[in-house]
Amino acid sequence: MKPKIFIDGEHGTTGLQIRTRMAGRDDVELLSIPEAERRNARLREDLLNSADVAILCLPDDAAKEAVAMVAGNNSVRIIDTSTAHRVNPDWAYGFAEMDREQPKKISGARYVANPGCYPTGAIGLLRPLRLAGLLPEDYPVTVNAVSGYTGGGKQMIAQMEEAGHPDPIDAPHFLYGLTLKHKHVPEMQVHGLLSRAPLFSPSVGKFPQGMIVQVPLYLADLNDHASLGSIHEALAAHYAGQDIVEVVDLKESANLARVNAVELADTDRMKLYVFGTAGAPHVNLVALLDNLGKGASGAAVQNMDLMLKA
Ligand SMILES: NC(=O)C1=CN([C@@H]2O[C@H](COP(=O)(O)OP(=O)(O)OC[C@H]3O[C@@H](n4cnc5c(N)ncnc54)[C@H](OP(=O)(O)O)[C@@H]3O)[C@@H](O)[C@H]2O)C=CC1
Ligand SMILES: CC(=O)N[C@@H](CCC(=O)OP(=O)(O)O)C(=O)O
């Protein structure tokens, strides 16, 4: 029998992208809820309890409610794309490349928290340097980022795209999260293995999908006389042997004049760069991804495949 998959929130931005990725698959059976019934709690509860894997693409509160709906049913496994469970130690963190044993943890888990889009970039850059001992636990990390506007879900997409919207967004690029209390900070700290919360400044650009995450570092404040070369080496060694996260060659990075935020739009990959000049005091670590690809729906499908292998 084919495993049954239910995407709760399938008519939203992340849910639709997962559905598109599943369209050609005949190894799974997709359970579906009509769009007009998407908030019908009774029907959702039935579908959630009929699934082998339920993928939640809902706001945090609704995701918690969905988890409660299957609490007594051990045969349902969950992937939650919301922020609700990302630092909960009872949930496996769904970033398969973050540690060698992570794919196994995800495969065997009942509950998997899909990582946030910005944290995928930040943790992807920071964690290997913490594990290699180059980055001190208490380094004052800053994370500056730009996301495509689909990161804001249906509401922001309408503000950007709909003519005559009552609250349109005209800015080609804007900063937000100005209180510095963004919901992704705890996740970056915990899975980035940091003792201090990073200072995170997000922004949105007037393009639908794409993301740049930057983590600038002062080399003199790192361990082991860290250099452009040793940082690149640590990242390359960490990601060797898989094909989703690419650590861009130092020479290639040195010859680049610019990084295009939309280069990886519509892909499920991530590129990591180490920028700077040999012998100079700073490096800038950069992650490039699609906020809806490796940053959300692509990672969710990757996690589902790992869980179905178990
Ligand atoms: N967009 C992105 O780049 C990313 C999003 N995520 C996460 O994915 C989740 C969904 O976000 P996104 O797809 O962007 O949001 P959207 O607003 O685009 O979609 C959310 C969907 O959930 C439905 N919904 C809302 N509340 C309920 C409820 N109580 N019961 C049932 N259905 C409900 C909405 O219906 P309605 O139309 O009626 O509101 C909508 O269809 C969020 O938790 C977000 O953090 C994760 C990574 C990246
Ligand atoms: C542009 C934008 O608004 N982005 C969202 C982050 C994307 C999201 O909601 O999802 P995850 O938390 O699951 O990554 C935000 O800053 O709240």
Side-chain angles (χ1 to χ4, degrees):
M1 242 185 12
K2 293 180 187 180
K4 294 188 180 72
I5 312 296
F6 175 53
I7 306 166
D8 197 358
E10 67 176 277
H11 302 287
T13 312
T14 309
L16 275 172
Q17 286 265 337
I18 294 175
R19 233 173 40 169
T20 307
R21 281 167 175 74
M22 308 274 276
R25 298 205 29 177
D26 56 10
D27 59 326
V28 293
E29 183 187 338
L30 216 52
L31 307 178
S32 190
I33 193 164
E35 186 166 7
E37 299 294 335
R38 65 188 182 279
R39 283 173 178 261
N40 178 332
R42 273 248 301 272
L43 189 50
R44 286 176 50 229
E45 184 162 0
D46 282 351
L47 287 164
L48 283 165
N49 280 287
S50 307
D52 295 295
V53 178
I55 308 180
L56 312 180
C57 299
L58 303 163
D60 287 20
D61 286 351
K64 287 181 193 153
E65 185 191 287
V67 173
M69 285 175 178
V70 298
N73 182 348
N74 289 334
S75 63
V76 185
R77 301 169 76 195
I78 292 190
I79 300 170
D80 180 10
T81 69
S82 86
T83 320
H85 304 101
R86 293 181 188 157
V87 293
N88 182 334
D90 298 333
W91 286 62
Y93 193 62
F95 185 0
E97 297 78 12
M98 80 179 196
D99 283 323
R100 293 274 164 208
E101 65 275 18
Q102 203 61 17
K104 222 201 256 159
K105 282 191 187 157
I106 296 167
S107 291
R110 176 171 182 209
Y111 294 124
V112 174
N114 218 51
C117 42
Y118 295 115
T120 298
I123 295 162
L125 293 165
L126 291 163
R127 189 174 174 101
L129 303 187
R130 284 284 305 118
L131 294 173
L134 293 175
L135 184 71
E137 185 182 41
D138 61 352
Y139 187 93
V141 168
T142 57
V143 180
N144 309 299
V146 62
S147 170
Y149 60 77
T150 54
K154 283 167 86 171
Q155 198 182 336
M156 189 176 289
I157 295 170
Q159 287 176 288
M160 286 282 188
E161 294 182 354
E162 267 176 24
H165 193 282
D167 182 20
I169 299 177
D170 295 324
H173 181 208
F174 63 87
L175 296 179
Y176 69 107
L178 304 174
T179 57
L180 305 182
K181 288 187 176 235
H182 194 277
K183 63 178 181 174
H184 286 170
V185 171
E187 188 184 346
M188 290 185 196
Q189 181 178 353
V190 169
H191 301 292
L193 307 175
L194 303 169
S195 62
R196 298 164 73 178
L199 192 164
F200 174 46
S201 175
S203 69
V204 166
K206 208 165 182 100
F207 51 87
Q209 289 169 239
M211 175 165 280
I212 293 177
V213 180
Q214 304 184 63
V215 180
L217 298 174
Y218 283 74
L219 290 173
D221 295 325
L222 303 186
N223 297 329
D224 300 339
H225 307 289
S227 64
L228 191 74
S230 68
I231 289 174
H232 183 269
E233 236 170 69
L235 288 171
H238 182 94
Y239 292 106
Q242 52 74 50
D243 55 7
I244 292 184
V245 182
E246 176 194 353
V247 180
V248 177
D249 189 71
L250 267 185
K251 267 199 206 120
E252 188 183 329
S253 301
N255 288 327
L256 280 181
R258 57 191 72 88
V259 175
N260 180 352
V262 305
E263 182 187 317
L264 292 185
D266 293 318
T267 78
D268 293 336
R269 296 186 295 117
M270 177 158 73
K271 278 184 167 183
L272 304 183
Y273 300 87
V274 183
F275 290 116
T277 302
H282 309 126
V283 291
N284 194 21
L285 309 180
V286 172
L288 186 65
L289 65 156
D290 179 344
N291 58 294
L292 289 178
K294 182 61 175 163
S297 308
V301 174
Q302 185 187 3
N303 288 327
M304 180 197 77
D305 285 334
L306 283 167
M307 291 164 83
L308 294 180
K309 263 199 223 155

